[in-house]
Every structure is written in C-alpha cells, then in structure tokens.
Amino acid sequence: MAKTIFPLTLLLSLLLSSISLTLAADYPLSTKSRWIVNKSGHRVKLACVNWPSHLKPVVAEGLSSQPMDSISKKIKEMGFNCVRLTWPLELMINDTLAFNVTVKQSFERYGLDHELQGIYTHNPSIVNTPLINAVVYSLGRNDVMVILDNHKTVPGWCCSNDDPDAFFGDPKFNPDLWMLGLKKMATIFMDVNNVIGMSLRNELRGYNHTAKDWYMQRGAEAVHGSNPNVLVILSGLDFDADLTFLKDRPVNLSFKKKLVLELHWYAFTNGTGQWKSHNVNDFCSQIFTKEHRTGGFLLDQGFPLFLSEFGTDQRGGDFEGNRYMSCMLAWAAEKDIDWAVWALTGVYYFREGKRGVVEAYGMLDANWHHVHNHTYLQRLSVIQPPHKGPGIKHNHHKKIFHPLTGLCLVRKSPCYESELTLGPCTKDEPWSYSHGDRLEIKGGHKSCVEGETSVGRSVKLGKKCTKIKRISATKMHLAFKNNDGLLVCLDVDSDNNIVANHCKCLTGDISCEPASQWFKIF
Ligand SMILES: *[C@@H]1O[C@H](CO)[C@@H](O)[C@H](O)[C@H]1NC(C)=O
Ligand SMILES: *[C@@H]1O[C@H](CO)[C@@H](O)[C@H](O)[C@H]1NC(C)=O
Ligand SMILES: *[C@@H]1O[C@H](CO)[C@@H](O)[C@H](O)[C@H]1NC(C)=O
Ligand SMILES: *[C@@H]1O[C@H](CO)[C@@H](O)[C@H](O)[C@H]1NC(C)=O
Ligand SMILES: *[C@@H]1O[C@H](CO)[C@@H](O)[C@H](O)[C@H]1NC(C)=O
Ligand SMILES: *[C@@H]1O[C@H](CO)[C@@H](O)[C@H](O)[C@H]1NC(C)=O
Ligand SMILES: *[C@@H]1O[C@H](CO)[C@@H](O)[C@H](O)[C@H]1NC(C)=O
C-alpha cells in the first residue's frame, strides 16, 4: 500500500531547499534580441546537457550509480552551466504518480532491485521521497541552471510518430491537461532561482501534427501566468526540426522578453543515409541552408534559438554521425548559439523494457563518473563560452576553428614568424581575416600566413603574406597558391601541425572526408 506523502510537506521541503541557493543575483533571465541575458543585461550563454528523468521510473537517471551532488559537480567540471531536465506530464497531472509513489516503490514496480540498492548506497535521502526532482536543488547548490523540459505525457522512452502523445489532440495529449501540468510545475519551482526556463513540450510530431494546431502559445501564457520568471522555450514541428511556419506567423504573446525557440539537429534529422550518400562538403553546405530556413532565420529576426538536442555516438563508429558532427559544430560555433547536448546519461535504469541500457551518445561512462570520450568533450568545449553578445568583451579577434578536433589555429611560438599548429581555442590569438583575404596576426609587425610552401610541407607565419580564399560550398576550405603555383588548402598532419595539401573532397566524391581541411573563421 502506498504511503501518502502530503503535498504540503513536499512544498515545504522544496521551499526550504531553495533557501540554500547562492546564485540569486543572476536570475531571472530574460531575452534581448537574439541573446539570453541576466538582470544587468549581460549575456548568459546556455551550454547545457540533457539529463533524462522521463523514463518509466521517473527518477533522474544515474542516482543508483553516484551521489547526486557528485553528478552535479561533474556537470560543472565538464564545462556545462545548465541542465535540460526532462519530465513526463503525468508527474504533474496524475496524482498517484505525483504524491503516492516513492522512489523505492517506483523501482520495485519495475523489478529494479539492484538499482534500488544503488539508490540506498548513493542517495539514501531520496529512497522514500516522491518522484519529483530532488536533483534540481543539487544542481542549484552547484551553480548549474535548470530548464524543465516536458518531454512527453506518459513516462517512457521518446519519440516516434506512433506515440499516443506525439501531438495536441492525440489520445494521451490533451492540451488542457498539458497546460494544467505546466502550470503546476511552473508553480512548484516558482522560487527556485536556478530554474531559469521551461521547455514546454519536446519534439512535436506524429500523423496529426500541423502548424495550425500548434498550441504552444497557450502553453506559454499558462506558464508565464504561473511563473513569470522562467524563459518559455517552444519547440517546432517534425521532431523539433522545423520552425519554418513561424516565419510569416510570429509567436504572439501577451508578455515580452521571455520567448526562446528550440531546434533539434541530429545526423538522422534529414533522414538516415543522407550523410553517407552525398559528398560531405556539398551536403554540409546544403544543410547549413536548410538549418537557416528551418530555424536559423529566427536569430536574424531577433529571437534566441536554443539547439536543445544534438549529438552522436561517442564510440567513434557512427559513420554518418562523425560526418555530421564537424558540420554541426562549425555552424553552432559561428552562430554562437545556446545549446544542450544529448545526453548526460551513462546508463539508463530501464529503457524500452531493458535494464541497464548504455547511452552511446552519453557524456558520462556507464559508471556515471568518468568522461565517456575526452576528444568529444573537447570538441564541445569551443562552443561552451560565449563569444559575442551584450556585455561580452569582444576584441574583434577571429578564431580559426577546426571542428574535427575542437581546436583552433595557433602559433607554435609567440612570435611574428612561427610555425602553425592546433591549440586550445581559449588561447587568444589576435587573428584577423580581411585586407585582401590575408590571415593576419594583428600587432606591430606584418605577420600573416605565407604561401611559400610545397604540398605536404608546413605552413608558416611570416612577412610574405598570401591571399587565402574560402573556397568550396561550405567556405570552410582555406586555399592559396603555393610556391609552385598550385592551389593548396590548409590541412593538419598527424601531429596537429598545419600543412599545405591538395584541396580535397570539394565536391562530387561521396567516399571522401573533407573535415581535416575544414576551418571555420568566426
Ligand atoms: C550578469 O553577468 C555578469 C557577467 O557574468 C556579472 O558580472 C553580473 O554581476 C551579472 N549581473 C547580475 C545582476 O547578476
Ligand atoms: C494515495 O494513497 C492513499 C493511502 O494509501 C489513498 O487513500 C489515496 O486515495 C491515494 N491517492 C491517490 C491520488 O492515489
Ligand atoms: C497514474 O499513475 C499510476 C502509477 O504510475 C498508474 O498506475 C495509473 O494508470 C496512472 N493513471 C492514469 C489515469 O494515467
Ligand atoms: C489523430 O487524430 C485523430 C482524430 O482526432 C485521433 O483519433 C487519432 O488517434 C490521432 N492519431 C494519433 C496517432 O494519435
Ligand atoms: C495577438 O493576440 C492578441 C490576444 O490574443 C490578439 O488580440 C491580437 O490580435 C493578436 N495579434 C496578432 C498579430 O495576431
Ligand atoms: C533532406 O530531405 C529531403 C526529403 O527527404 C530532401 O528533399 C532534401 O533534399 C534533403 N536535403 C536537404 C539538404 O534538405
Ligand atoms: C571519441 O570521439 C572521437 C571523435 O569525437 C572519435 O574519433 C573516437 O574514435 C572516440 N574514441 C573512442 C575511444 O570511442
């Protein structure tokens, strides 16, 4: 028999926990044109990781493996400042689930005895509490912002076209109940400072989905009426890959400075097999155009766009995912977009009927402690800090980003004549790219990328500047004429030194990998 947990007790403990938060000064956040800003109008860039909590047990994943505070610390340590925490609507609209089921009961119900033992070991304080998310406070204590993401209605893995909760009006997606649940969630977390946003519904989709019945504006009003502090984050159609319909029909809300749109972009977003069956350079450039049409245009219209899901298999074997990742990162870096990677998960308690399912896209190992793949994390590190926007000190230096490695073009020695290599993007090299297409280090002396080299040899910085053109459809190949009058491209050797090579994979060939020659100047 379920032990009753009184809502009042629950609320009280929620309120008490929020007092311990120390980061009140920054919040609430609002928007200023395409930027998310704090109370002083300073840009706050969202560099988030998705922390799933919407699967059948309705408990944030990982708590049977590590104490929640150590997971929160790890999130911070990996360079994220924010979590998109997923929750199922039933947690709010089904009173049994909200108040009468404890963590212990939920695990027992699915036969997750081993996992329950893990909870006793690592997070004993939550064993007999209701399911609602204690991790929000742990994240707050560790200075991590939270976006509460209503992922679906019924607890379980997401998302397919056949789900009964794919779009408004589907059997398990009653818009009125949805608004009710959103209001409750917004109210519960009203005074919890680190809850800075609510993402109203994940990946609208299904056989019945149309722009005409996109009720997101009603949900946004419901949330704002209950909690005016949070940003309201609205998903588009077609698994949140399509916001095109907003171009001629802007979101119309009764309040201002709180609206953010979200977009998802995976390797399979445009159908599987696409990255395999096209020339990667041509396809990446087509996808740049497509992303602009389906979401990127909102930045130009003055709305923040939150790339709230992307990612790929981190074990290295995903052929299409690897091709996509360099293209996507170049785009995200150039746009300096707010984002959330899928996902934090090492291993899921119980997913699609199976226990202990490893998340191939996950930032953490199956032990929920070690970084799954340091190279992958390094590639994300360049998009973690803000590069521009209100209050960001901008010295107008360019970065020459190499998305394949997550590194940037830097000098080997801090001189005006030097060899070039790849190094951390945090190193502030005073690059400029102008004056007749020269890649130049600003300062007292004339110092730019020289063309005096041959194929396969290193590229140096010196006085004999050469014209460097951004060629090819992506404009990410940096080409110049060398000693022998040959057109060559900047490339990287096995030691990460910059060399000149024949420009590769410019167009046509579908078997060729251009990414070692891709540099994004931003
Ligand atoms: C806004 O952010 C800036 C930079 O992080 C910080 O210096 C400032 O104190 C913040 N303002 C408020 C009101 O929190
Ligand atoms: C919760 O459990 C109590 C006692 O077991 C029961 O009386 C009550 O009806 C339950 N409430 C819900 C909403 O399930
Ligand atoms: C509410 O949640 C309980 C526990 O998960 C479940 O057994 C019940 O079917 C749910 N009720 C509805 C109406 O979905
Ligand atoms: C689509 O809408 C119809 C009519 O409202 C409904 O009967 C059907 O269940 C919906 N389809 C899905 C997949 O939810
Ligand atoms: C925006 O919504 C308000 C209130 O619902 C309505 O009065 C107004 O006509 C709408 N504006 C547009 C441009 O649709
Ligand atoms: C994406 O998929 C659609 C439909 O399959 C196709 O027409 C289009 O050419 C594809 N490529 C891009 C870049 O959108
Ligand atoms: C880690 O990720 C990189 C690219 O992001 C990939 O090339 C490599 O194979 C991965 N390493 C392991 C051990 O999975």
Side-chain angles (χ1 to χ4, degrees):
M1 187 94 250
K3 187 171 140 226
T4 312
I5 298 143
F6 292 105
L8 192 64
T9 325
L10 169 66
L11 282 178
L12 194 65
S13 67
L14 291 175
L15 290 176
L16 287 177
S17 335
S18 65
I19 291 170
S20 63
L21 298 180
T22 54
L23 24 71
D26 247 10
Y27 309 124
L29 302 182
S30 56
T31 67
K32 186 175 184 179
S33 174
R34 60 150 289 193
W35 313 105
I36 295 168
V37 296
N38 72 7
K39 269 166 134 176
S40 340
H42 219 279
R43 179 173 188 203
V44 174
K45 179 169 178 174
L46 303 179
C48 318
V49 60
N50 280 277
W51 190 346
S53 185
H54 66 280
L55 275 70
K56 285 231 157 33
V58 201
V59 174
E61 301 290 335
L63 302 184
S64 62
S65 303
Q66 295 292 334
M68 60 176 88
D69 272 335
S70 68
I71 298 177
S72 299
K73 287 194 170 70
K74 197 75 198 179
I75 290 170
K76 194 81 191 170
E77 202 182 297
M78 288 191 288
F80 301 106
N81 62 7
C82 147
V83 157
R84 180 173 179 257
L85 187 66
T86 65
W87 60 281
L89 192 68
E90 277 199 3
L91 182 61
M92 287 294 121
I93 62 173
N94 176 336
D95 285 347
T96 309
L97 204 59
F99 301 124
N100 266 14
V101 178
T102 62
V103 169
K104 178 166 182 279
Q105 288 159 347
S106 189
F107 277 84
E108 281 169 353
R109 181 173 173 195
Y110 295 104
L112 304 172
D113 301 335
H114 176 72
E115 289 75 7
L116 179 58
Q117 282 316 308
I119 301 273
Y120 272 108
T121 308
H122 298 290
N123 290 286
S125 67
I126 67 162
V127 169
N128 290 306
T129 64
L131 299 174
I132 191 154
N133 263 299
V135 300
V136 170
Y137 308 102
S138 167
L139 291 165
R141 284 193 293 277
N142 290 287
D143 202 14
V144 178
M145 299 179 277
V146 173
I147 290 162
L148 302 168
D149 166 59
N150 174 221
H151 214 63
K152 59 199 303 299
T153 302
V154 188
W157 187 247
C158 193
C159 299
S160 91
N161 273 318
D162 300 321
D163 294 331
D165 56 357
F167 196 71
F168 304 105
D170 286 355
K172 290 282 184 183
F173 197 171
N174 173 329
D176 294 325
L177 290 178
W178 169 69
M179 284 190 279
L180 182 73
L182 288 177
K183 281 187 198 168
K184 284 193 186 175
M185 198 70 169
T187 306
I188 287 176
F189 290 100
M190 170 76 183
D191 293 312
V192 183
N193 290 309
N194 66 312
V195 174
I196 55 98
M198 283 179 65
S199 133
L200 270 46
R201 185 66 162 206
N202 185 61
E203 300 198 350
L204 295 172
R205 64 195 178 278
Y207 305 113
N208 287 337
H209 87 300
T210 66
K212 179 173 70 63
D213 297 330
W214 191 75
Y215 295 142
M216 282 291 180
Q217 301 177 109
R218 290 166 59 189
E221 295 288 353
V223 166
H224 190 77
S226 307
N227 180 345
N229 291 332
V230 288
L231 298 171
V232 293
I233 306 174
L234 312 187
S235 145
L237 302 171
D238 198 11
F239 294 84
D240 201 11
D242 189 7
L243 291 153
T244 320
F245 61 99
L246 294 178
K247 193 152 203 172
D248 314 311
R249 209 192 63 177
V251 181
N252 177 16
L253 297 173
S254 67
F255 55 95
K256 291 201 172 4
K257 299 187 187 298
K258 288 288 179 184
L259 172 66
V260 175
L261 284 312
E262 64 183 316
L263 186 74
H264 291 181
W265 177 11
Y266 289 105
F268 48 80
T269 294
N270 206 56
T272 49
Q274 300 272 336
W275 283 100
K276 207 158 35 188
S277 56
H278 288 89
N279 169 271
V280 179
N281 195 63
D282 285 337
F283 192 62
C284 176
S285 117
Q286 286 169 31
I287 289 287
F288 283 161
T289 309
K290 187 210 154 211
E291 294 304 328
H292 187 266
R293 192 183 69 243
T294 55
F297 72 90
L298 288 157
L299 297 169
D300 302 337
Q301 288 191 350
F303 297 101
L305 182 65
F306 178 40
L307 183 62
S308 58
E309 284 190 28
F310 67 88
T312 189
D313 190 326
Q314 296 194 26
R315 296 167 301 184
D318 179 355
F319 185 76
E320 295 206 83
N322 293 343
R323 287 183 156 190
Y324 135 92
M325 198 68 189
S326 295
C327 179
M328 191 279 305
L329 277 175
W331 187 82
E334 182 187 42
K335 302 290 177 209
D336 199 0
I337 203 160
D338 298 281
W339 54 270
V341 66
W342 187 271
L344 180 64
T345 320
V347 60
Y348 295 101
Y349 307 124
F350 187 62
R351 170 177 152 180
E352 297 169 290
K354 291 200 195 80
R355 291 169 61 171
V357 178
V358 165
E359 174 57 272
Y361 287 39
M363 296 308 303
L364 292 177
D365 237 334
N367 60 20
W368 280 82
H369 182 64
H370 293 121
V371 171
H372 189 170
N373 181 328
H374 283 280
T375 311
Y376 191 91
L377 181 58
Q378 173 174 290
R379 294 174 79 189
L380 294 187
S381 69
V382 71
I383 57 173
Q384 285 175 332
H387 296 284
K388 49 193 177 191
I392 305 298
K393 280 204 190 70
H394 194 52
N395 50 24
H396 301 287
H397 299 163
K398 296 283 186 202
K399 291 201 185 294
I400 305 160
F401 173 48
H402 188 250
L404 181 63
T405 51
L407 296 169
C408 283
L409 192 63
V410 300
R411 288 173 286 182
K412 265 198 168 167
S413 54
C415 316
Y416 292 103
E417 292 184 19
S418 167
E419 296 201 324
L420 293 166
T421 185
L422 293 177
C425 294
T426 46
K427 184 169 176 196
D428 184 26
E429 291 281 36
W431 286 114
S432 74
Y433 181 66
S434 52
H435 303 109
D437 299 338
R438 294 179 321 192
L439 259 182
E440 193 169 353
I441 287 278
K442 284 196 245 178
H445 301 66
K446 189 170 178 186
S447 174
C448 36
V449 172
E450 290 188 335
E452 294 216 340
T453 185
S454 5
V455 173
R457 305 295 295 276
S458 64
V459 175
K460 293 191 183 67
L461 203 62
K463 292 188 185 123
K464 295 181 195 140
C465 303
T466 189
K467 278 191 179 209
I468 301 214
K469 297 278 184 203
R470 289 184 286 187
I471 61 162
S472 87
T474 53
K475 302 220 181 309
M476 292 199 285
H477 285 85
L478 301 183
F480 59 95
K481 283 225 172 79
N482 77 353
N483 289 350
D484 312 317
L486 283 172
L487 188 72
V488 288
C489 277
L490 294 189
D491 203 339
V492 176
D493 73 10
S494 53
D495 295 321
N496 275 353
N497 294 317
I498 306 300
V499 296
N501 272 327
H502 293 295
C503 298
K504 63 176 179 180
C505 323
L506 298 177
T507 188
D509 186 353
I510 67 170
S511 66
C512 175
E513 304 295 340
S516 78
Q517 292 189 351
W518 274 355
F519 292 89
K520 188 79 194 175
I521 303 177
F522 72 94

